[in-house]
Amino acid sequence: MKRSAVTVGGKRLRAVALVAAVMFGAAAPAPASAHPQASGLLQCQGTESVHYQPGVTLQARPIHVTVDGHFSSCAGGDGAVKSGGYQEEFTLVTGCNNLLEGFQARRTYTWNTGDSSTADITGSSTAAVGQVVTQVTGTITDGRFHGHNLLQVITLPQPSALQCLGDGLASATGATTLTIL
């Protein structure tokens, strides 16, 4: 498979690694001093939806990927953050046979308060019992919760062999949780 790099949030990534996180498993931030420092733990629950154009098949090819994550329920921290989300869009070269590699990226989470948190993240995915679970860890480097660590877990349905044949896998949606410590 041909490996290529893409830029997401200012970081270069191996294309195959990024699609692993997206499948299996950005507003410009203000300086940290412009955001209140939250204390304690923030826990968010929501969904992540991923769309692929064209669909992901067994044959590696350029794929335009759109990621849309929504946290409909957040609790803890300083009490101000009640919901949030993240969006990413990029193109990479990949196929169904190589989607579980580790990755590094920069992700920006936006909050209902109007501010954001930018984090340097790493992740890996595992496939088990018809699901692909991606565990993302990192540190918030800018914005709300600056200096805090995070853990995000994304669970998406594992694509079947039939989905990877023909037109390919066009989208996947699953549950996600985010914990900021």
Side-chain angles (χ1 to χ4, degrees):
M1 172 190 159
K2 178 181 177 186
R3 300 205 186 252
S4 63
V6 295
T7 300
V8 177
K11 291 266 186 180
R12 291 185 53 82
L13 307 172
R14 285 194 345 217
V16 174
L18 187 56
V19 83
V22 172
M23 256 182 100
F24 293 126
S33 61
H35 299 282
Q37 184 70 24
S39 60
L41 170 77
L42 180 71
Q43 177 76 41
C44 298
Q45 298 179 2
T47 59
E48 179 176 286
S49 296
V50 186
H51 299 279
Y52 314 96
Q53 181 60 37
V56 180
T57 63
L58 292 175
Q59 178 69 34
R61 61 183 175 173
I63 307 285
H64 183 81
V65 181
T66 304
V67 180
D68 192 15
H70 290 283
F71 299 112
S72 56
S73 173
C74 295
D78 63 3
V81 173
K82 303 292 184 195
S83 61
Y86 55 97
Q87 289 81 34
E88 296 166 342
E89 195 169 325
F90 48 90
T91 300
L92 50 86
V93 176
T94 195
C96 285
N97 288 331
N98 51 354
L99 295 172
L100 294 177
E101 294 182 15
F103 66 95
Q104 294 182 338
R106 176 166 284 165
R107 175 171 283 170
T108 299
Y109 300 92
T110 56
W111 308 111
N112 65 290
T113 56
D115 55 357
S116 61
S117 301
T118 299
D120 288 333
I121 59 174
T122 60
S124 61
S125 301
T126 57
V129 193
Q131 296 181 341
V132 175
V133 179
T134 300
Q135 181 171 305
V136 176
T137 58
T139 301
I140 298 175
T141 58
D142 200 12
R144 183 179 280 272
F145 307 112
H146 181 262
H148 287 257
N149 294 319
L150 68 83
L151 169 65
Q152 183 175 2
V153 178
I154 306 158
T155 304
L156 297 174
Q158 184 174 5
S160 70
L162 291 177
Q163 288 176 306
C164 292
L165 298 171
D167 292 338
L169 178 67
S171 65
T173 299
T176 185
T177 61
L178 174 68
T179 303
I180 297 178
L181 307 168

